[in-house]
């Protein structure tokens, strides 16, 4: 899916959220990365295979 050089990390890699943004809807709170991952403003993610990644919020002290 990625045509960048060097290629962006795949959706299965640990650093998948380092891929480039190809579409962004800040008013709706999400961005689509070139590897097919949708990232949300709350840091949650939707992977191309429909798995979800829970938001990574900082711990309250």
């Amino acid at each position: 899916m990625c045509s960048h050089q060097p290629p962006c990390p795949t959706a299965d890699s640990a650093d998948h959220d380092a891929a480039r943004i190809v579409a962004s809807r800040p008013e709706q709170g999400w961005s689509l990365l070139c590897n097919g991952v949708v990232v949300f403003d709350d840091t949650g993610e939707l992977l191309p295979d429909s798995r979800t990644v829970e938001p990574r919020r900082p711990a309250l002290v």
Side-chain angles (χ1 to χ4, degrees), residues 28-41:
Q28 295 178 351
W30 61 269
S31 296
L32 173 65
L33 305 181
C34 74
N35 58 8
V37 174
V38 178
V39 293
F40 296 95
D41 286 350

Side-chain angles (χ1 to χ4, degrees), residues 4 6-7 9 11 14 20 24 26 29 35 38-39 43 47 50-51 58:
H4 304 109
R20 290 189 187 183
S24 181
N35 58 8
V38 178
V39 293
T43 70
L47 303 178
S50 298
R51 289 181 295 144

